[in-house]
Amino acid sequence: MRIVVLAGGIGGARFLRGLKRAVPDADITVIGNTGDDIHLFGLKVCPDLDTVMYTLGGGINEEQGWGRTDESFHVKEELAAYGVGPEWFGLGDRDFATHIVRTQMLGAGFPLSAVTEALCDRWQPGVRLIPMSDDRVETHVAVTLPGADGGPGERKAVHFQEYWVRLRASVPAEAVVPVGAEHAKPAPGVLEAVAEADVILFPPSNPVVSVGTILAVPGIREAIADAGVPVVGLSPIVGDAPVRGMADKVLAAVGVEATAAAVAEHYGSGLLDGWLVDTVDAGSVERVEAAGIRCRAVPLMMTDVDAAARMAQEALALAEEVRSA
Ligand code: FO1
């Protein structure tokens, strides 16, 4: 079975680990979000691609869900000693090697998709990981920061990572803009994978800055909508709150309430054929079905790989129900 998964960071990576366990013989292609990418210290850092690669390759810092296990931060400390910032983004020594290799290959003229393939050669994630685009797309967030000495606030656009990590999403996101998306092209293999897929899954990744950013690359949303195969998503919102991260902050920026049903409606029946909500949100099944999206309430907390595998099985079962409907 050929499965295509649109993945962001931590939630997407953990779901993929379950999917691999649920259907070990499936051919899985992951279209990875690159809107979180950031250039630091002359290096290109791809958080969502690395989180998928490290999680499935066995190198992830499990409790954090990002960065490497057995990490040290000597380079970060030395940079700080030189007064070279930013200090709010925790790049570890092992992680630096990934960004050095990536930046070196990009500098040699390899596109990000080829670089990602080369990095995955070491990690063997057991899926094909393709960035959504080889073109640069970086999500920025419009915020109003408190003015100096309580003066009027200052409105500015900050890089997503600064909003997410330095500001901890402590101020409302007034707008979320995937800068460059409108000129970006799907990376080689993306549209082909969608066209050849037997099923397409939206894991419990952030619907705005992860899945939403992938869908913002011209051609990808249309390819999925026209693929003619079941498209099934899993809600990242459980009981009106995001399971992880601060998805509710960016959902507000696009006028979507932080509920499992609202996220399904946001994707729309033009895209989604099926939607899984957690059992605590069983009351919203009717509303989702009224939106023309088949809906089931199942446990959606990825407490361990087996739990994620059960979720993946439920998603694939719903896809088969949709296919035979
Ligand atoms: N998240 C944090 O909350 N704090 C960090 O210092 C941090 C550093 C970091 C370094 C590399 C990387 O790949 C991810 C990192 N993240 C950090 C997570 C990152 O902000 C998120 O994984 C995604 O961008 C959102 O899905």
Side-chain angles (χ1 to χ4, degrees), residues 15 178 275:
F15 173 77
W275 185 247

Side-chain angles (χ1 to χ4, degrees), residues 204-217:
S205 285
N206 188 304
V208 178
V209 295
S210 294
V211 177
T213 303
I214 298 169
L215 294 172
V217 175

Side-chain angles (χ1 to χ4, degrees), residues 47-60:
D48 280 355
L49 297 181
D50 291 347
T51 289
V52 170
M53 184 173 74
Y54 290 157
T55 300
L56 301 185
I60 195 76

Side-chain angles (χ1 to χ4, degrees), residues 36 47-48 66 88-91 95 160-161 164-165 168:
D36 291 8
D48 280 355
W66 51 266
W88 46 265
F89 199 72
L91 283 175
D95 200 26
F160 169 75
Q161 293 298 347
W164 204 248
V165 177
R168 307 298 318 155

Side-chain angles (χ1 to χ4, degrees), residues 55 57 162 168 174-175 182 238 259 281 324:
T55 300
E162 183 169 357
R168 307 298 318 155
E174 292 162 23
E182 67 280 8
V238 169
T259 65
D281 296 307
S324 55

